[in-house]
Amino acid sequence: MNPVVAALRTAASPRIRLSDLATQSCPCCRRKATSVSRYPAFVSKFFSGLLLAHCDNCGTGWVPIPNLDLDTYYEKHYAKEVRKDRLFEGKFYGPDNPVWSKEKHAVRDRAKRHADILHRIAPNAQDVLDIGCGEGYLLHNINVPRKFALESDENVQGILQEEVGATMIGQLPEKPTFDVIVASHVVEHFTYDTVRDYMLGFIAALKPNGVVLIEVPPGAWQLEEFAAGNRPPNQRLEPHTLFFSSYAMNMMLLDSGFEIVQSIRCPWTKNHMNDFKIKKQVPENVYNDADYVFVGRKPAGQTVWPGLVRKLRALT
Ligand SMILES: [Zn+2]
């Protein structure tokens, strides 16, 4: 039998208590979940059986299972389900790697765009961390004194250390350490119950005036297209566990204490511009639709951890 058909037919489907679902809040705007749908699975036996919760206020979608066991997914399913390009056996950044002669290469070309943005926004950066950086295209592209990588894939550790010159770290430090943190196509892999802690972790690990650069897919719009039956048949969305609008991502950055210095308007946000709070969320001049990225800056004068402020506000 076609393995995709088999996966879709036999996927386990964990039950979610209605009472739990009804009390779940949107990770971005904190409103109650407004609806559920099936997960837009592609080939994954793990994801085929899941649901998505949706927030109509900000467009966010999330897998509403508490403590979702993604470790098992990445260990037991990911390698089989996601066909990775075979790693080049020579020097990855050597001239013989065919990656460099390809006319287009999504990850390589994206890293170049991010390097250009960082050159413009953080020209004097000394300490740069790339989270989930894969082979380290971005770190290889930039000329800074100290490069750090948070990347668990065993296949790329040698490339990152020997060819890119990166220092490997196992987790985010809790004190200000970096001028730049990059999270490119990483945040959509977090879960609804961890994403806010990661955002607070980013700001805690940045030096004053440090910047975070985030890129995520236009998830809220992808889900709108999915709901309408317009999803492209070759579109793979798993293993994404969060789906953002640019409005929702801006909100989460602002709520974590960042000033937004660059943003975009995703198609979902453009479709909701008649809502005044969405139109006026951040000043017009921070929008740059040429780059599909969000850049937040940690204010220089920020001395109190924003999570503490948020908790105190919640108490009063
Ligand atoms: Zn929301």
Side-chain angles (χ1 to χ4, degrees):
M1 182 184 281
N2 179 322
V4 176
V5 174
L8 299 182
R9 287 180 186 172
T10 61
S13 189
R15 293 183 179 188
I16 306 163
R17 294 178 66 85
L18 281 175
S19 55
D20 290 344
L21 202 55
T23 55
Q24 280 198 17
S25 296
C26 169
C28 298
C29 75
R30 300 174 180 284
R31 303 260 182 115
K32 293 278 180 271
T34 37
S35 52
V36 289
S37 73
R38 69 185 169 98
Y39 184 92
F42 188 63
V43 297
S44 166
K45 187 169 178 175
F46 182 83
F47 279 86
S48 302
L50 300 184
L51 288 177
L52 274 184
H54 302 265
C55 169
D56 293 343
N57 180 53
C58 72
T60 299
W62 68 96
V63 175
I65 300 180
N67 308 313
L68 186 66
D69 185 8
L70 285 172
D71 291 343
T72 302
Y73 168 73
Y74 284 108
E75 280 167 24
K76 296 194 175 171
H77 299 268
Y78 191 71
K80 287 182 204 153
E81 292 173 354
V82 179
R83 192 172 171 177
K84 291 183 174 180
D85 289 343
R86 220 172 17 183
L87 280 175
F88 181 63
E89 291 193 354
K91 215 172 169 214
F92 190 82
Y93 288 99
D96 296 337
N97 189 340
V99 158
W100 310 116
S101 54
K102 284 182 181 167
E103 193 183 340
K104 288 184 179 176
H105 185 281
V107 182
R108 178 200 69 189
D109 299 344
R110 188 189 294 144
K112 178 75 174 64
R113 290 197 301 278
H114 292 171
D116 291 344
I117 294 168
L118 291 178
H119 186 65
R120 178 162 46 85
I121 288 181
N124 301 316
Q126 307 280 305
D127 299 280
V128 175
L129 167 67
D130 193 348
I131 296 176
C133 60
E135 296 92 341
Y137 284 100
L138 172 78
L139 291 174
H140 186 258
N141 245 308
I142 57 176
N143 186 16
V144 296
R146 289 173 294 279
K147 303 173 180 181
F148 299 86
L150 205 168
E151 172 58 68
S152 57
D153 185 347
E154 291 180 0
N155 297 308
V156 297
Q157 305 288 316
I159 298 170
L160 289 170
Q161 292 176 76
E162 288 150 33
E163 297 190 48
V164 177
T167 301
M168 306 304 298
I169 63 169
Q171 58 185 32
L172 278 171
E174 290 182 12
K175 61 177 193 234
T177 306
F178 307 111
D179 300 294
V180 172
I181 295 177
V182 175
S184 175
H185 287 264
V186 166
V187 179
E188 69 270 25
H189 298 266
F190 297 158
T191 59
Y192 79 97
D193 47 2
T194 60
V195 63
R196 278 189 167 265
D197 288 341
Y198 276 108
M199 301 300 269
L200 294 172
F202 292 167
I203 202 162
L206 280 171
K207 301 177 196 170
N209 278 324
V211 297
V212 65
L213 185 156
I214 292 173
E215 180 164 333
V216 292
W221 176 65
Q222 290 170 333
L223 294 183
E224 275 192 330
E225 292 291 281
F226 174 58
N230 297 330
R231 177 190 183 191
N234 292 326
Q235 181 189 57
R236 178 182 190 125
L237 296 175
E238 70 219 12
H240 298 172
T241 37
L242 291 169
F243 298 78
F244 298 103
S245 66
S246 54
Y247 170 61
M249 180 56 76
N250 285 344
M251 186 166 9
M252 209 159 46
L253 283 166
L254 290 166
D255 209 19
S256 305
F258 286 103
E259 295 168 353
I260 297 178
V261 293
Q262 181 170 324
S263 185
I264 51 105
R265 280 191 176 122
C266 71
W268 185 96
T269 302
K270 284 182 178 160
N271 289 341
H272 291 75
M273 292 287 279
N274 55 350
D275 185 333
F276 188 74
K277 71 175 185 301
I278 294 178
K279 187 169 169 47
K280 294 292 179 191
Q281 183 186 39
V282 290
E284 280 293 327
N285 64 2
V286 308
Y287 290 109
N288 178 346
D289 284 351
D291 302 313
Y292 214 90
V293 303
F294 303 81
V295 180
R297 189 186 299 280
K298 177 177 182 172
Q302 186 179 290
T303 51
V304 182
W305 188 49
L308 181 63
V309 175
R310 199 158 47 77
K311 278 177 185 161
L312 288 171
R313 274 192 198 136
L315 291 172
T316 53

